[in-house]
Structure formats: structure tokens, C-alpha cells
Amino acid sequence: MAKLNFGGTEENVVTRDEFPLAKAQEVLKDEVVAVIGYGVQGPGQALNQKDNGINVIVGQRKGTKTWDKAVSDGFVPGETLFEIEEALQKGTVICYLLSDAAQIALWPTVKKHLTPGKALYFSHGFGITFNEQTGIVPPADVDVFLVAPKGSGTSLRRMFLQGRGLNSSYAIFQDATGKAFERVIALGIAVGSGYLFETNFKKEVFSDLTGERGTLMGCIQGIFAAQYEVLRANGHSPSESFNETVEELTQSLMPLVAENGMDWMYANCSTTAQRGALDWWKKFRDATKPVFEDLYKSVATGVESQKSIDSNSKEDYREKLDAELKELRESELWQAGKTVRSLRPENQVVEA
């Protein structure tokens, strides 16, 4: 494990240099990694492990769209694709990648197959941290740990195929075998992590829920909507408003920030943009910080987790979700975006 300086604070990290794929393959050579769930994270993690030479199987309900997707991705029924309970029985490492609500519902079945020496792997600290709400309390004789890629399963797979990697956190909740560290790091490398940084289950879920509701999705959508609406109210066209609010940010500026940092971006924009950004960023920080403080408190006190459990467990959850997503999808902002994206050169149909 290496210690690296992050803005003045030393942190433990694991890189591919010190823990190469060959070492991960050696650690996992006698394991059967059962990926339970093939929705958001499942495909990317399962396929990356498969391509990295790990003995991985998928557990999914037969007759579902996700079963069919696993088949189309190359998993073979009866060989590497099984009904969930059979996969749980065969697996020595259980990658529990169902949604949080589905994890609660399936937990009694999973727990039954957690025999001594097995490992229970999460990509989110939700079930363990909020166990008074979820009921997920693992037996004492299994390893419990997580690897949480900092991005979607789609991004994890795409970056893997590009020869890149997505940063991931790792945490050990329970080391029953004395091998939990080697197992979790090997799995983190096998799923395609660029590097792994240390955390714990509580910090992972607190930061994750805050991020999803904050700058990753909730806050950024709110900011997009606010600026777009102000521009439209002042006579700007949908095309101009969308380009100035979303397209320039996502297509031009954010890739540069990803490559070089926001400090570089400030130093390499026009002097007019530079002056305005320097004058206004602290005002936005001061305006939004109280909202983030309220958000973090709601996460830390279990309010957000309970809302999620209550909402996602209702029979009409999908119908209500579809209605909310329809409102977002059919808003002028994202309808304008659909047209703008269709006009990108790479999306144009070139006639022969």
C-alpha cells in the first residue's frame, strides 16, 4: 500500500503497480465470484472480471430482461449464468449488486448461503451502514468488504475497454478469514479500478448519497434548470440557452477540467471569463453550502435512506418513477438537448 499526498493530507491508496492484475489473478484463482444482479453495476463488473480471467458467474432470475442481457453478453446458462439461489450456492465471493431495496428483499436467501469462509462483497455501504433499517447483518464467520467504483457500471466497462480505469474506494467491514484485504484489493483490480483509496462503509454511503443528490446529479440538474430558465425568460432561444448552459460545459470545459483541473481551466480561459468566474464562484459556494449542510445531515441521520427504502419498496414505485422521469425527459431543457446532441458531427448520417 502506498501513501500519497492529497492536497496536504496523506492517504492510503493501492495502485496497479504494486498490485498488478497477475497478483489479483493469483489471489482469486480458487474463488468463484458470483455476481448477483445484472442491472446498473453488474454487467460492467462481471464482464471486466471475466475478461481479466477471473472465474465469474452471474446469478439472475430466468425470464427477465437482465437474464437475456447476460446471455447476449456471453454468459452461458448452466455454465456461467444461473438462477440466483444456485449462483449463491456455487459462489465463494458473493458480489451483492442488486438495488438497495432488492438487497433487503433477498437478504434472507443470501444469508442462508453465507457459509464460513465465504466473502460478501458490496459496491455501496447502504445495506450494512443502515442495518437497523435494512436488516442486513452478516454472520461473523464471513469476510465483508466493498469496492465502490466512482462512476456508473457503463463508464466502468467503457473505460476498461479503452485500456483505462475508474477510481474506486475500498473498505473492510469484517475480516473473518485474515485474507479480506487481499481479496478486496484483488477484486478491485479485477473489476477495472484505476486505483483504490481507503474508506469505511459509513463514509462511503454518506459521501455517495450526498454526491448523488448534490453535484453528481441533483444539484447539477437544479443549476442547469435555473440558468436555462433565466436565459429563456430573458429572450434567449432554446438552442442558445442549452448550448450556453449544458453543451459547452459537458463537451468542452469538463473534459479539460478532468484532464487538468479547475485551476488550469481558470488560468487558460479568456480574461473576461476568468474575471467573472473569480468574482462569482464564492457567491455560488456561499449560496449552496447551507443546502449541502442540510443534505449531509439528512443523509447522516438516516432520513434519506429511509425515504429510499420506503419509496422503492412500494408496489407502484415504477409507475411513480416513470412519471417523474417523464417530467424531466419532456422538459424543454432536455428536449432542446436531444436536438442539440443530434446535430453533433459524430451523430450526423453521412451519405455515401
Side-chain angles (χ1 to χ4, degrees):
M1 189 182 301
K3 279 191 175 293
L4 294 183
N5 188 306
F6 292 84
T9 299
E10 282 199 339
E11 295 186 33
N12 293 323
V13 300
V14 180
T15 68
R16 295 180 184 183
D17 289 337
E18 61 191 292
F19 209 107
L21 178 59
K23 184 174 181 180
Q25 291 168 333
E26 177 64 23
V27 170
L28 299 173
K29 66 180 181 180
D30 296 323
E31 304 275 16
V32 177
V33 180
V35 174
I36 307 301
Y38 207 74
V40 177
Q41 279 288 335
Q45 293 202 30
L47 288 168
N48 289 359
Q49 289 185 77
K50 180 172 175 279
D51 289 351
N52 275 332
I54 308 304
N55 183 11
V56 59
I57 63 176
V58 171
Q60 190 56 47
R61 290 185 177 87
K62 191 179 291 186
T64 62
K65 291 181 180 178
T66 44
W67 174 281
D68 294 340
K69 176 171 171 51
V71 171
S72 68
D73 284 344
F75 291 97
V76 180
E79 295 181 16
T80 53
L81 176 61
F82 302 92
E83 288 276 2
I84 289 176
E85 193 150 5
E86 188 173 359
L88 287 169
Q89 186 175 4
K90 292 177 178 294
T92 60
V93 176
I94 307 302
C95 290
Y96 206 22
L97 301 182
L98 293 168
S99 70
D100 295 323
Q103 285 187 14
I104 295 170
L106 191 67
W107 176 245
T109 301
V110 173
K111 189 174 182 179
K112 183 173 64 175
H113 292 284
L114 288 175
T115 51
K118 285 194 176 187
L120 180 60
Y121 165 113
F122 293 88
S123 283
H124 193 20
F126 191 101
I128 293 292
T129 300
F130 300 113
N131 59 27
E132 290 185 359
Q133 297 169 335
T134 66
I136 296 177
V137 180
D141 51 11
V142 300
D143 291 343
V144 182
F145 43 66
L146 68 77
V147 172
K150 297 298 107 180
S152 69
T154 301
S155 298
L156 183 72
R157 180 60 177 166
R158 184 177 295 162
M159 293 175 76
F160 176 86
L161 293 174
Q162 294 170 346
R164 302 162 63 200
L166 196 61
N167 303 333
S168 301
S169 61
Y170 77 91
I172 298 171
F173 179 76
Q174 193 166 279
D175 183 3
T177 66
K179 301 184 295 182
F181 177 78
E182 282 206 330
R183 282 171 123 180
V184 70
I185 298 303
L187 287 159
I189 297 298
V191 301
S193 302
Y195 79 94
L196 293 138
F197 62 93
E198 190 176 31
T199 188
N200 61 44
F201 273 63
K202 181 180 287 188
K203 288 180 179 177
E204 191 285 327
V205 71
F206 283 12
S207 62
D208 190 68
L209 292 183
T210 300
E212 290 167 348
R213 287 150 179 76
T215 60
L216 302 180
M217 292 179 69
C219 174
I220 200 71
Q221 165 61 19
I223 291 171
F224 283 162
Q227 179 170 304
Y228 182 87
E229 288 169 13
V230 167
L231 290 173
R232 289 288 288 124
N234 282 277
H236 298 270
S237 69
S239 176
E240 183 172 52
S241 300
F242 186 88
N243 273 284
E244 204 61 50
T245 299
V246 178
E247 193 75 351
E248 185 175 351
L249 174 70
T250 58
Q251 296 302 295
S252 175
L253 302 188
M254 279 299 107
L256 291 173
V257 172
E259 290 173 17
N260 305 296
M262 186 62 85
D263 53 334
W264 182 93
M265 192 71 251
Y266 270 53
N268 287 274
C269 62
S270 72
T271 54
T272 302
Q274 190 178 70
R275 181 70 267 147
L278 287 168
D279 287 345
W280 279 89
W281 80 263
K282 291 180 181 177
K283 294 182 182 180
F284 281 107
R285 178 199 62 191
D286 294 344
T288 59
K289 191 174 179 182
V291 181
F292 279 100
E293 288 169 343
D294 288 346
L295 166 57
Y296 193 86
K297 182 179 178 181
S298 188
V299 168
T301 56
V303 172
E304 293 301 309
S305 57
Q306 193 61 55
K307 282 182 183 177
S308 178
I309 291 169
D310 291 345
S311 171
N312 298 350
S313 300
K314 291 178 179 176
E315 290 185 3
D316 62 350
Y317 165 68
R318 283 290 170 192
E319 290 79 2
K320 289 183 176 179
L321 174 66
D322 288 344
E324 291 182 275
L325 293 176
K326 181 180 179 183
E327 178 187 0
L328 195 65
R329 183 174 61 249
E330 294 184 356
S331 66
E332 185 187 273
L333 168 63
W334 292 110
Q335 286 296 304
K338 184 177 181 181
T339 302
V340 170
R341 289 193 297 276
S342 73
L343 294 171
R344 292 175 189 166
E346 65 268 25
N347 293 332
Q348 296 293 299
V349 177
V350 179
E351 294 184 4

